[in-house]
Amino acid sequence: GENVEQHPSTLSVQEGDSAVIKCTYSDSASNYFPWYKQELGKGPQLIIDIRSNVGEKKDQRIAVTLNKTAKHFSLHITETQPEDSAVYFCSGEAGNEKLTFGTGTRLTIIP
Amino acid sequence: DSGVTQTPKHLITATGQRVTLRCSPRSGDLSVYWYQQSLDQGLQFLIQYYNGEERAKGNILERFSAQQFPDLHSELNLSSLELGDSALYFCASSAGFANTGELFFGEGSRLTVL
């Protein structure tokens, strides 16, 4: 089955700087890669997703890149703000109707 | 508010006991997913139901079972509880299947086994 690895497990960045979280996946059949943000005491919430037919997708300060050859994808957050502090999960779905999640990255924005 | 409701929010019980976690999906969503989140662990997929039928199974223990009822709410039953079952259990729902769009997560049920 699919295996998704995520790095780093914790990340601290100065407010206004950029943050990058990287994930790799194992199943070459995977074709859908959503990113979820989990704030304290809440359930995860989708922030951006990408499908295998594109290499990059942007939504304001958030972007995701996908390299199918290398089987890795990354989340980029620019101009970070305090409200970006949360746990971020990457995930992959290989057509078997279930998402496999990475172990999460705890992002802390330092004011 | 995701529209997914989970009860109870917190549950404390003893080893060997049995508990039931309940989930009401977003209005109109046919798929329900159950995930387990342990300390320092990611979200482990347990099981998925679609319109009352089991659709996909993950690393769900034999001591655990789930079902989805005709009104589309779902229950996760955990029996013969062990200390290691202490975790946050999330329910999520979607209109269709996981690869077609967003999963909407509830706020979770925190289970503590003493």
Side-chain angles (χ1 to χ4, degrees), chain A residues 32 36 38 41-44 46 51 89 93 95-99 101-103, chain B residues 33 35 37 42-43 45 48 55 90 97-103 105-107:
Chain A
Y32 176 57
Y36 283 79
Q38 185 178 18
K42 304 244 170 138
L46 179 73
R51 296 190 184 272
F89 291 97
E93 196 278 341
N96 58 359
E97 302 172 16
K98 69 179 180 76
L99 284 177
F101 285 85
T103 49
Chain B
Y33 308 77
Y35 284 85
Q37 185 176 36
L43 293 154
F45 171 73
Q48 179 207 354
R55 191 76 186 189
F90 283 106
F97 307 126
N99 62 347
T100 61
E102 184 171 2
L103 295 190
F105 283 83
E107 296 196 341

PDB file of all heavy atoms in Angstrom, chain A residues 32 36 38 41-44 46 51 89 93 95-99 101-103, chain B residues 33 35 37 42-43 45 48 55 90 97-103 105-107:
ATOM      1  N   TYR A  32      -3.478  11.846  -6.275  1.00  0.00           N
ATOM      2  CA  TYR A  32      -4.143  12.957  -5.605  1.00  0.00           C
ATOM      3  C   TYR A  32      -3.434  13.213  -4.295  1.00  0.00           C
ATOM      4  O   TYR A  32      -3.235  12.283  -3.502  1.00  0.00           O
ATOM      5  CB  TYR A  32      -5.620  12.610  -5.378  1.00  0.00           C
ATOM      6  CG  TYR A  32      -6.401  13.660  -4.598  1.00  0.00           C
ATOM      7  CD1 TYR A  32      -6.467  14.979  -5.045  1.00  0.00           C
ATOM      8  CD2 TYR A  32      -7.070  13.329  -3.432  1.00  0.00           C
ATOM      9  CE1 TYR A  32      -7.170  15.936  -4.342  1.00  0.00           C
ATOM     10  CE2 TYR A  32      -7.781  14.279  -2.724  1.00  0.00           C
ATOM     11  CZ  TYR A  32      -7.836  15.580  -3.179  1.00  0.00           C
ATOM     12  OH  TYR A  32      -8.542  16.534  -2.480  1.00  0.00           O
ATOM     13  N   TYR A  36      -3.493  19.020   4.626  1.00  0.00           N
ATOM     14  CA  TYR A  36      -4.441  19.403   5.654  1.00  0.00           C
ATOM     15  C   TYR A  36      -3.726  20.148   6.773  1.00  0.00           C
ATOM     16  O   TYR A  36      -2.579  19.841   7.119  1.00  0.00           O
ATOM     17  CB  TYR A  36      -5.148  18.157   6.227  1.00  0.00           C
ATOM     18  CG  TYR A  36      -6.224  17.620   5.324  1.00  0.00           C
ATOM     19  CD1 TYR A  36      -5.913  16.843   4.220  1.00  0.00           C
ATOM     20  CD2 TYR A  36      -7.574  17.908   5.572  1.00  0.00           C
ATOM     21  CE1 TYR A  36      -6.908  16.369   3.376  1.00  0.00           C
ATOM     22  CE2 TYR A  36      -8.567  17.435   4.741  1.00  0.00           C
ATOM     23  CZ  TYR A  36      -8.227  16.672   3.644  1.00  0.00           C
ATOM     24  OH  TYR A  36      -9.213  16.208   2.805  1.00  0.00           O
ATOM     25  N   GLN A  38      -4.100  21.288  10.804  1.00  0.00           N
ATOM     26  CA  GLN A  38      -4.820  20.988  12.036  1.00  0.00           C
ATOM     27  C   GLN A  38      -4.443  21.994  13.105  1.00  0.00           C
ATOM     28  O   GLN A  38      -3.305  22.005  13.578  1.00  0.00           O
ATOM     29  CB  GLN A  38      -4.519  19.563  12.518  1.00  0.00           C
ATOM     30  CG  GLN A  38      -5.329  19.155  13.735  1.00  0.00           C
ATOM     31  CD  GLN A  38      -5.060  17.729  14.175  1.00  0.00           C
ATOM     32  OE1 GLN A  38      -4.063  17.127  13.804  1.00  0.00           O
ATOM     33  NE2 GLN A  38      -5.954  17.173  14.972  1.00  0.00           N
ATOM     34  N   GLY A  41      -6.862  21.611  18.999  1.00  0.00           N
ATOM     35  CA  GLY A  41      -8.211  21.268  19.431  1.00  0.00           C
ATOM     36  C   GLY A  41      -9.223  21.102  18.314  1.00  0.00           C
ATOM     37  O   GLY A  41     -10.425  20.959  18.579  1.00  0.00           O
ATOM     38  N   LYS A  42      -8.747  21.106  17.083  1.00  0.00           N
ATOM     39  CA  LYS A  42      -9.682  20.998  15.957  1.00  0.00           C
ATOM     40  C   LYS A  42      -9.310  19.795  15.085  1.00  0.00           C
ATOM     41  O   LYS A  42      -8.243  19.209  15.217  1.00  0.00           O
ATOM     42  CB  LYS A  42      -9.606  22.262  15.108  1.00  0.00           C
ATOM     43  CG  LYS A  42      -9.861  23.543  15.858  1.00  0.00           C
ATOM     44  CD  LYS A  42     -11.088  24.211  15.368  1.00  0.00           C
ATOM     45  CE  LYS A  42     -11.477  25.354  16.266  1.00  0.00           C
ATOM     46  NZ  LYS A  42     -11.903  26.511  15.528  1.00  0.00           N
ATOM     47  N   GLY A  43     -10.209  19.468  14.185  1.00  0.00           N
ATOM     48  CA  GLY A  43      -9.910  18.438  13.211  1.00  0.00           C
ATOM     49  C   GLY A  43      -9.137  19.032  12.038  1.00  0.00           C
ATOM     50  O   GLY A  43      -9.137  20.239  11.826  1.00  0.00           O
ATOM     51  N   PRO A  44      -8.468  18.194  11.268  1.00  0.00           N
ATOM     52  CA  PRO A  44      -7.736  18.685  10.097  1.00  0.00           C
ATOM     53  C   PRO A  44      -8.677  19.328   9.077  1.00  0.00           C
ATOM     54  O   PRO A  44      -9.832  18.932   8.953  1.00  0.00           O
ATOM     55  CB  PRO A  44      -7.099  17.410   9.523  1.00  0.00           C
ATOM     56  CG  PRO A  44      -7.074  16.448  10.667  1.00  0.00           C
ATOM     57  CD  PRO A  44      -8.291  16.758  11.470  1.00  0.00           C
ATOM     58  N   LEU A  46      -8.698  20.849   4.959  1.00  0.00           N
ATOM     59  CA  LEU A  46      -8.003  20.930   3.677  1.00  0.00           C
ATOM     60  C   LEU A  46      -7.587  22.365   3.381  1.00  0.00           C
ATOM     61  O   LEU A  46      -8.392  23.293   3.513  1.00  0.00           O
ATOM     62  CB  LEU A  46      -8.922  20.430   2.555  1.00  0.00           C
ATOM     63  CG  LEU A  46      -8.339  20.482   1.148  1.00  0.00           C
ATOM     64  CD1 LEU A  46      -7.287  19.390   0.977  1.00  0.00           C
ATOM     65  CD2 LEU A  46      -9.433  20.317   0.091  1.00  0.00           C
ATOM     66  N   ARG A  51      -3.287  17.412  -8.142  1.00  0.00           N
ATOM     67  CA  ARG A  51      -3.455  16.132  -8.814  1.00  0.00           C
ATOM     68  C   ARG A  51      -2.250  15.882  -9.709  1.00  0.00           C
ATOM     69  O   ARG A  51      -1.520  16.801 -10.059  1.00  0.00           O
ATOM     70  CB  ARG A  51      -4.755  16.124  -9.609  1.00  0.00           C
ATOM     71  CG  ARG A  51      -5.961  16.254  -8.688  1.00  0.00           C
ATOM     72  CD  ARG A  51      -7.284  16.026  -9.358  1.00  0.00           C
ATOM     73  NE  ARG A  51      -8.370  16.284  -8.382  1.00  0.00           N
ATOM     74  CZ  ARG A  51      -8.844  15.353  -7.567  1.00  0.00           C
ATOM     75  NH1 ARG A  51      -8.360  14.131  -7.598  1.00  0.00           N
ATOM     76  NH2 ARG A  51      -9.810  15.649  -6.719  1.00  0.00           N
ATOM     77  N   PHE A  89      -0.389  18.226   7.603  1.00  0.00           N
ATOM     78  CA  PHE A  89      -0.288  16.846   7.154  1.00  0.00           C
ATOM     79  C   PHE A  89      -0.336  16.795   5.632  1.00  0.00           C
ATOM     80  O   PHE A  89      -1.243  17.377   5.013  1.00  0.00           O
ATOM     81  CB  PHE A  89      -1.454  16.007   7.679  1.00  0.00           C
ATOM     82  CG  PHE A  89      -1.432  15.776   9.164  1.00  0.00           C
ATOM     83  CD1 PHE A  89      -2.184  16.569  10.008  1.00  0.00           C
ATOM     84  CD2 PHE A  89      -0.661  14.762   9.711  1.00  0.00           C
ATOM     85  CE1 PHE A  89      -2.171  16.364  11.383  1.00  0.00           C
ATOM     86  CE2 PHE A  89      -0.645  14.542  11.076  1.00  0.00           C
ATOM     87  CZ  PHE A  89      -1.396  15.344  11.916  1.00  0.00           C
ATOM     88  N   GLU A  93      -3.366   9.640  -2.236  1.00  0.00           N
ATOM     89  CA  GLU A  93      -4.465   8.711  -2.501  1.00  0.00           C
ATOM     90  C   GLU A  93      -4.180   8.029  -3.824  1.00  0.00           C
ATOM     91  O   GLU A  93      -3.968   8.677  -4.837  1.00  0.00           O
ATOM     92  CB  GLU A  93      -5.787   9.467  -2.549  1.00  0.00           C
ATOM     93  CG  GLU A  93      -7.007   8.589  -2.434  1.00  0.00           C
ATOM     94  CD  GLU A  93      -7.418   7.939  -3.734  1.00  0.00           C
ATOM     95  OE1 GLU A  93      -7.001   8.412  -4.796  1.00  0.00           O
ATOM     96  OE2 GLU A  93      -8.162   6.948  -3.688  1.00  0.00           O
ATOM     97  N   GLY A  95      -5.988   5.802  -5.634  1.00  0.00           N
ATOM     98  CA  GLY A  95      -7.101   5.189  -6.349  1.00  0.00           C
ATOM     99  C   GLY A  95      -7.791   4.094  -5.576  1.00  0.00           C
ATOM    100  O   GLY A  95      -8.686   3.447  -6.087  1.00  0.00           O
ATOM    101  N   ASN A  96      -7.368   3.888  -4.341  1.00  0.00           N
ATOM    102  CA  ASN A  96      -8.023   2.864  -3.529  1.00  0.00           C
ATOM    103  C   ASN A  96      -8.985   3.480  -2.527  1.00  0.00           C
ATOM    104  O   ASN A  96      -9.379   2.832  -1.567  1.00  0.00           O
ATOM    105  CB  ASN A  96      -6.988   2.004  -2.806  1.00  0.00           C
ATOM    106  CG  ASN A  96      -6.076   2.823  -1.903  1.00  0.00           C
ATOM    107  OD1 ASN A  96      -6.200   4.040  -1.830  1.00  0.00           O
ATOM    108  ND2 ASN A  96      -5.169   2.166  -1.221  1.00  0.00           N
ATOM    109  N   GLU A  97      -9.302   4.753  -2.756  1.00  0.00           N
ATOM    110  CA  GLU A  97     -10.354   5.413  -1.999  1.00  0.00           C
ATOM    111  C   GLU A  97     -10.028   5.645  -0.547  1.00  0.00           C
ATOM    112  O   GLU A  97     -10.927   5.816   0.262  1.00  0.00           O
ATOM    113  CB  GLU A  97     -11.680   4.645  -2.146  1.00  0.00           C
ATOM    114  CG  GLU A  97     -12.119   4.527  -3.594  1.00  0.00           C
ATOM    115  CD  GLU A  97     -13.314   3.614  -3.778  1.00  0.00           C
ATOM    116  OE1 GLU A  97     -13.984   3.310  -2.792  1.00  0.00           O
ATOM    117  OE2 GLU A  97     -13.557   3.210  -4.917  1.00  0.00           O
ATOM    118  N   LYS A  98      -8.755   5.629  -0.185  1.00  0.00           N
ATOM    119  CA  LYS A  98      -8.420   6.047   1.163  1.00  0.00           C
ATOM    120  C   LYS A  98      -7.153   6.900   1.107  1.00  0.00           C
ATOM    121  O   LYS A  98      -6.292   6.681   0.283  1.00  0.00           O
ATOM    122  CB  LYS A  98      -8.210   4.850   2.082  1.00  0.00           C
ATOM    123  CG  LYS A  98      -6.966   4.001   1.814  1.00  0.00           C
ATOM    124  CD  LYS A  98      -6.871   2.867   2.823  1.00  0.00           C
ATOM    125  CE  LYS A  98      -5.651   1.999   2.596  1.00  0.00           C
ATOM    126  NZ  LYS A  98      -4.422   2.659   3.058  1.00  0.00           N
ATOM    127  N   LEU A  99      -7.120   7.886   1.982  1.00  0.00           N
ATOM    128  CA  LEU A  99      -5.954   8.749   2.056  1.00  0.00           C
ATOM    129  C   LEU A  99      -4.958   8.184   3.055  1.00  0.00           C
ATOM    130  O   LEU A  99      -5.343   7.748   4.135  1.00  0.00           O
ATOM    131  CB  LEU A  99      -6.360  10.148   2.512  1.00  0.00           C
ATOM    132  CG  LEU A  99      -7.053  11.068   1.501  1.00  0.00           C
ATOM    133  CD1 LEU A  99      -7.423  12.371   2.175  1.00  0.00           C
ATOM    134  CD2 LEU A  99      -6.142  11.325   0.309  1.00  0.00           C
ATOM    135  N   PHE A 101      -1.868   9.426   5.273  1.00  0.00           N
ATOM    136  CA  PHE A 101      -1.312  10.672   5.766  1.00  0.00           C
ATOM    137  C   PHE A 101       0.127  10.512   6.229  1.00  0.00           C
ATOM    138  O   PHE A 101       0.530   9.439   6.705  1.00  0.00           O
ATOM    139  CB  PHE A 101      -2.143  11.193   6.944  1.00  0.00           C
ATOM    140  CG  PHE A 101      -3.458  11.793   6.549  1.00  0.00           C
ATOM    141  CD1 PHE A 101      -4.575  10.996   6.377  1.00  0.00           C
ATOM    142  CD2 PHE A 101      -3.580  13.154   6.356  1.00  0.00           C
ATOM    143  CE1 PHE A 101      -5.795  11.543   6.002  1.00  0.00           C
ATOM    144  CE2 PHE A 101      -4.796  13.715   5.992  1.00  0.00           C
ATOM    145  CZ  PHE A 101      -5.905  12.914   5.809  1.00  0.00           C
ATOM    146  N   GLY A 102       0.883  11.592   6.096  1.00  0.00           N
ATOM    147  CA  GLY A 102       2.199  11.657   6.711  1.00  0.00           C
ATOM    148  C   GLY A 102       2.043  11.854   8.207  1.00  0.00           C
ATOM    149  O   GLY A 102       0.922  11.988   8.714  1.00  0.00           O
ATOM    150  N   THR A 103       3.174  11.883   8.927  1.00  0.00           N
ATOM    151  CA  THR A 103       3.136  11.961  10.384  1.00  0.00           C
ATOM    152  C   THR A 103       2.992  13.392  10.901  1.00  0.00           C
ATOM    153  O   THR A 103       2.923  13.596  12.100  1.00  0.00           O
ATOM    154  CB  THR A 103       4.382  11.316  10.994  1.00  0.00           C
ATOM    155  OG1 THR A 103       5.535  11.824  10.333  1.00  0.00           O
ATOM    156  CG2 THR A 103       4.337   9.801  10.847  1.00  0.00           C
TER     157      THR A 103
ATOM    158  N   TYR B  33     -15.418   8.252   7.065  1.00  0.00           N
ATOM    159  CA  TYR B  33     -14.105   7.667   7.317  1.00  0.00           C
ATOM    160  C   TYR B  33     -13.792   7.776   8.812  1.00  0.00           C
ATOM    161  O   TYR B  33     -14.136   8.769   9.451  1.00  0.00           O
ATOM    162  CB  TYR B  33     -13.004   8.431   6.556  1.00  0.00           C
ATOM    163  CG  TYR B  33     -13.253   8.623   5.079  1.00  0.00           C
ATOM    164  CD1 TYR B  33     -14.146   9.580   4.614  1.00  0.00           C
ATOM    165  CD2 TYR B  33     -12.575   7.844   4.149  1.00  0.00           C
ATOM    166  CE1 TYR B  33     -14.370   9.757   3.265  1.00  0.00           C
ATOM    167  CE2 TYR B  33     -12.795   8.020   2.785  1.00  0.00           C
ATOM    168  CZ  TYR B  33     -13.689   8.982   2.360  1.00  0.00           C
ATOM    169  OH  TYR B  33     -13.911   9.155   1.014  1.00  0.00           O
ATOM    170  N   TYR B  35     -10.488   7.729  11.452  1.00  0.00           N
ATOM    171  CA  TYR B  35      -9.037   7.811  11.592  1.00  0.00           C
ATOM    172  C   TYR B  35      -8.666   7.810  13.068  1.00  0.00           C
ATOM    173  O   TYR B  35      -9.400   8.340  13.905  1.00  0.00           O
ATOM    174  CB  TYR B  35      -8.484   9.083  10.945  1.00  0.00           C
ATOM    175  CG  TYR B  35      -8.414   9.050   9.438  1.00  0.00           C
ATOM    176  CD1 TYR B  35      -9.521   9.392   8.667  1.00  0.00           C
ATOM    177  CD2 TYR B  35      -7.237   8.680   8.790  1.00  0.00           C
ATOM    178  CE1 TYR B  35      -9.452   9.364   7.274  1.00  0.00           C
ATOM    179  CE2 TYR B  35      -7.164   8.648   7.407  1.00  0.00           C
ATOM    180  CZ  TYR B  35      -8.278   8.997   6.666  1.00  0.00           C
ATOM    181  OH  TYR B  35      -8.210   8.962   5.294  1.00  0.00           O
ATOM    182  N   GLN B  37      -5.611   9.041  15.691  1.00  0.00           N
ATOM    183  CA  GLN B  37      -4.422   9.870  15.819  1.00  0.00           C
ATOM    184  C   GLN B  37      -3.839   9.689  17.214  1.00  0.00           C
ATOM    185  O   GLN B  37      -4.400  10.140  18.203  1.00  0.00           O
ATOM    186  CB  GLN B  37      -4.751  11.345  15.583  1.00  0.00           C
ATOM    187  CG  GLN B  37      -3.516  12.243  15.593  1.00  0.00           C
ATOM    188  CD  GLN B  37      -3.858  13.695  15.271  1.00  0.00           C
ATOM    189  OE1 GLN B  37      -4.903  14.205  15.656  1.00  0.00           O
ATOM    190  NE2 GLN B  37      -2.973  14.363  14.545  1.00  0.00           N
ATOM    191  N   GLY B  42       0.808  10.197  12.877  1.00  0.00           N
ATOM    192  CA  GLY B  42      -0.071  10.811  11.895  1.00  0.00           C
ATOM    193  C   GLY B  42      -1.478  10.287  12.058  1.00  0.00           C
ATOM    194  O   GLY B  42      -1.839   9.703  13.077  1.00  0.00           O
ATOM    195  N   LEU B  43      -2.241  10.485  11.036  1.00  0.00           N
ATOM    196  CA  LEU B  43      -3.618  10.010  11.019  1.00  0.00           C
ATOM    197  C   LEU B  43      -3.649   8.623  10.403  1.00  0.00           C
ATOM    198  O   LEU B  43      -3.385   8.466   9.210  1.00  0.00           O
ATOM    199  CB  LEU B  43      -4.488  10.981  10.221  1.00  0.00           C
ATOM    200  CG  LEU B  43      -4.657  12.353  10.860  1.00  0.00           C
ATOM    201  CD1 LEU B  43      -4.941  13.414   9.817  1.00  0.00           C
ATOM    202  CD2 LEU B  43      -5.783  12.308  11.875  1.00  0.00           C
ATOM    203  N   PHE B  45      -5.567   5.564   9.002  1.00  0.00           N
ATOM    204  CA  PHE B  45      -6.872   5.239   8.460  1.00  0.00           C
ATOM    205  C   PHE B  45      -7.371   3.925   9.041  1.00  0.00           C
ATOM    206  O   PHE B  45      -6.659   2.921   9.067  1.00  0.00           O
ATOM    207  CB  PHE B  45      -6.775   5.141   6.930  1.00  0.00           C
ATOM    208  CG  PHE B  45      -8.007   4.594   6.272  1.00  0.00           C
ATOM    209  CD1 PHE B  45      -9.160   5.346   6.167  1.00  0.00           C
ATOM    210  CD2 PHE B  45      -8.000   3.313   5.729  1.00  0.00           C
ATOM    211  CE1 PHE B  45     -10.291   4.851   5.551  1.00  0.00           C
ATOM    212  CE2 PHE B  45      -9.134   2.801   5.105  1.00  0.00           C
ATOM    213  CZ  PHE B  45     -10.281   3.578   5.020  1.00  0.00           C
ATOM    214  N   GLN B  48     -13.626   2.923   6.026  1.00  0.00           N
ATOM    215  CA  GLN B  48     -14.500   3.828   5.291  1.00  0.00           C
ATOM    216  C   GLN B  48     -15.805   3.134   4.957  1.00  0.00           C
ATOM    217  O   GLN B  48     -15.826   1.953   4.569  1.00  0.00           O
ATOM    218  CB  GLN B  48     -13.850   4.296   3.982  1.00  0.00           C
ATOM    219  CG  GLN B  48     -14.740   5.227   3.166  1.00  0.00           C
ATOM    220  CD  GLN B  48     -14.465   5.205   1.676  1.00  0.00           C
ATOM    221  OE1 GLN B  48     -13.521   4.561   1.226  1.00  0.00           O
ATOM    222  NE2 GLN B  48     -15.263   5.914   0.910  1.00  0.00           N
ATOM    223  N   ARG B  55     -16.400   0.233   2.452  1.00  0.00           N
ATOM    224  CA  ARG B  55     -15.782   0.524   1.166  1.00  0.00           C
ATOM    225  C   ARG B  55     -14.285   0.247   1.161  1.00  0.00           C
ATOM    226  O   ARG B  55     -13.724  -0.212   0.184  1.00  0.00           O
ATOM    227  CB  ARG B  55     -16.020   1.989   0.823  1.00  0.00           C
ATOM    228  CG  ARG B  55     -15.664   2.353  -0.595  1.00  0.00           C
ATOM    229  CD  ARG B  55     -16.712   1.850  -1.560  1.00  0.00           C
ATOM    230  NE  ARG B  55     -16.298   2.076  -2.938  1.00  0.00           N
ATOM    231  CZ  ARG B  55     -17.087   1.885  -3.979  1.00  0.00           C
ATOM    232  NH1 ARG B  55     -18.331   1.461  -3.802  1.00  0.00           N
ATOM    233  NH2 ARG B  55     -16.645   2.113  -5.204  1.00  0.00           N
ATOM    234  N   PHE B  90     -10.873  10.438  14.896  1.00  0.00           N
ATOM    235  CA  PHE B  90     -11.550  11.392  14.024  1.00  0.00           C
ATOM    236  C   PHE B  90     -12.475  10.677  13.067  1.00  0.00           C
ATOM    237  O   PHE B  90     -12.162   9.623  12.519  1.00  0.00           O
ATOM    238  CB  PHE B  90     -10.542  12.189  13.194  1.00  0.00           C
ATOM    239  CG  PHE B  90      -9.840  13.273  13.958  1.00  0.00           C
ATOM    240  CD1 PHE B  90      -8.522  13.121  14.344  1.00  0.00           C
ATOM    241  CD2 PHE B  90     -10.499  14.449  14.275  1.00  0.00           C
ATOM    242  CE1 PHE B  90      -7.868  14.123  15.040  1.00  0.00           C
ATOM    243  CE2 PHE B  90      -9.852  15.460  14.975  1.00  0.00           C
ATOM    244  CZ  PHE B  90      -8.538  15.278  15.355  1.00  0.00           C
ATOM    245  N   PHE B  97     -15.818   9.814  -2.917  1.00  0.00           N
ATOM    246  CA  PHE B  97     -14.678   9.051  -2.441  1.00  0.00           C
ATOM    247  C   PHE B  97     -13.486   9.961  -2.185  1.00  0.00           C
ATOM    248  O   PHE B  97     -13.459  11.103  -2.602  1.00  0.00           O
ATOM    249  CB  PHE B  97     -14.313   7.963  -3.451  1.00  0.00           C
ATOM    250  CG  PHE B  97     -15.465   7.084  -3.820  1.00  0.00           C
ATOM    251  CD1 PHE B  97     -15.828   6.896  -5.137  1.00  0.00           C
ATOM    252  CD2 PHE B  97     -16.198   6.441  -2.836  1.00  0.00           C
ATOM    253  CE1 PHE B  97     -16.894   6.093  -5.464  1.00  0.00           C
ATOM    254  CE2 PHE B  97     -17.273   5.637  -3.151  1.00  0.00           C
ATOM    255  CZ  PHE B  97     -17.621   5.470  -4.480  1.00  0.00           C
ATOM    256  N   ALA B  98     -12.463   9.412  -1.513  1.00  0.00           N
ATOM    257  CA  ALA B  98     -11.343  10.232  -1.049  1.00  0.00           C
ATOM    258  C   ALA B  98     -10.604  10.913  -2.192  1.00  0.00           C
ATOM    259  O   ALA B  98     -10.025  11.967  -2.004  1.00  0.00           O
ATOM    260  CB  ALA B  98     -10.381   9.382  -0.249  1.00  0.00           C
ATOM    261  N   ASN B  99     -10.595  10.326  -3.366  1.00  0.00           N
ATOM    262  CA  ASN B  99      -9.809  10.924  -4.439  1.00  0.00           C
ATOM    263  C   ASN B  99     -10.602  11.923  -5.270  1.00  0.00           C
ATOM    264  O   ASN B  99     -10.122  12.402  -6.285  1.00  0.00           O
ATOM    265  CB  ASN B  99      -9.247   9.824  -5.341  1.00  0.00           C
ATOM    266  CG  ASN B  99     -10.348   9.016  -6.017  1.00  0.00           C
ATOM    267  OD1 ASN B  99     -11.508   9.107  -5.637  1.00  0.00           O
ATOM    268  ND2 ASN B  99      -9.987   8.241  -7.004  1.00  0.00           N
ATOM    269  N   THR B 100     -11.803  12.224  -4.854  1.00  0.00           N
ATOM    270  CA  THR B 100     -12.605  13.157  -5.636  1.00  0.00           C
ATOM    271  C   THR B 100     -12.716  14.516  -4.977  1.00  0.00           C
ATOM    272  O   THR B 100     -13.288  15.422  -5.565  1.00  0.00           O
ATOM    273  CB  THR B 100     -14.019  12.607  -5.863  1.00  0.00           C
ATOM    274  OG1 THR B 100     -14.651  12.419  -4.595  1.00  0.00           O
ATOM    275  CG2 THR B 100     -13.967  11.287  -6.599  1.00  0.00           C
ATOM    276  N   GLY B 101     -12.202  14.681  -3.789  1.00  0.00           N
ATOM    277  CA  GLY B 101     -12.278  15.991  -3.167  1.00  0.00           C
ATOM    278  C   GLY B 101     -12.078  15.963  -1.679  1.00  0.00           C
ATOM    279  O   GLY B 101     -11.539  15.021  -1.125  1.00  0.00           O
ATOM    280  N   GLU B 102     -12.520  17.009  -1.069  1.00  0.00           N
ATOM    281  CA  GLU B 102     -12.213  17.300   0.319  1.00  0.00           C
ATOM    282  C   GLU B 102     -12.883  16.345   1.294  1.00  0.00           C
ATOM    283  O   GLU B 102     -14.030  15.948   1.132  1.00  0.00           O
ATOM    284  CB  GLU B 102     -12.657  18.730   0.617  1.00  0.00           C
ATOM    285  CG  GLU B 102     -12.335  19.233   1.995  1.00  0.00           C
ATOM    286  CD  GLU B 102     -12.618  20.716   2.144  1.00  0.00           C
ATOM    287  OE1 GLU B 102     -13.095  21.336   1.168  1.00  0.00           O
ATOM    288  OE2 GLU B 102     -12.375  21.246   3.237  1.00  0.00           O
ATOM    289  N   LEU B 103     -12.084  15.979   2.315  1.00  0.00           N
ATOM    290  CA  LEU B 103     -12.639  15.311   3.478  1.00  0.00           C
ATOM    291  C   LEU B 103     -12.925  16.372   4.531  1.00  0.00           C
ATOM    292  O   LEU B 103     -12.102  17.262   4.759  1.00  0.00           O
ATOM    293  CB  LEU B 103     -11.658  14.301   4.075  1.00  0.00           C
ATOM    294  CG  LEU B 103     -11.275  13.083   3.244  1.00  0.00           C
ATOM    295  CD1 LEU B 103     -10.491  12.098   4.107  1.00  0.00           C
ATOM    296  CD2 LEU B 103     -12.469  12.415   2.636  1.00  0.00           C
ATOM    297  N   PHE B 105     -13.477  16.933   8.416  1.00  0.00           N
ATOM    298  CA  PHE B 105     -13.229  16.250   9.681  1.00  0.00           C
ATOM    299  C   PHE B 105     -14.040  16.855  10.811  1.00  0.00           C
ATOM    300  O   PHE B 105     -14.222  18.074  10.893  1.00  0.00           O
ATOM    301  CB  PHE B 105     -11.747  16.347  10.053  1.00  0.00           C
ATOM    302  CG  PHE B 105     -10.854  15.404   9.295  1.00  0.00           C
ATOM    303  CD1 PHE B 105     -10.396  15.736   8.020  1.00  0.00           C
ATOM    304  CD2 PHE B 105     -10.458  14.194   9.845  1.00  0.00           C
ATOM    305  CE1 PHE B 105      -9.571  14.877   7.319  1.00  0.00           C
ATOM    306  CE2 PHE B 105      -9.634  13.324   9.151  1.00  0.00           C
ATOM    307  CZ  PHE B 105      -9.190  13.668   7.882  1.00  0.00           C
ATOM    308  N   GLY B 106     -14.476  15.977  11.712  1.00  0.00           N
ATOM    309  CA  GLY B 106     -15.043  16.446  12.964  1.00  0.00           C
ATOM    310  C   GLY B 106     -13.923  16.870  13.900  1.00  0.00           C
ATOM    311  O   GLY B 106     -12.746  16.817  13.535  1.00  0.00           O
ATOM    312  N   GLU B 107     -14.288  17.265  15.111  1.00  0.00           N
ATOM    313  CA  GLU B 107     -13.281  17.735  16.062  1.00  0.00           C
ATOM    314  C   GLU B 107     -12.684  16.612  16.887  1.00  0.00           C
ATOM    315  O   GLU B 107     -11.789  16.844  17.692  1.00  0.00           O
ATOM    316  CB  GLU B 107     -13.875  18.806  16.972  1.00  0.00           C
ATOM    317  CG  GLU B 107     -14.275  20.054  16.197  1.00  0.00           C
ATOM    318  CD  GLU B 107     -14.498  21.261  17.074  1.00  0.00           C
ATOM    319  OE1 GLU B 107     -14.698  21.089  18.289  1.00  0.00           O
ATOM    320  OE2 GLU B 107     -14.479  22.386  16.528  1.00  0.00           O
TER     321      GLU B 107
END
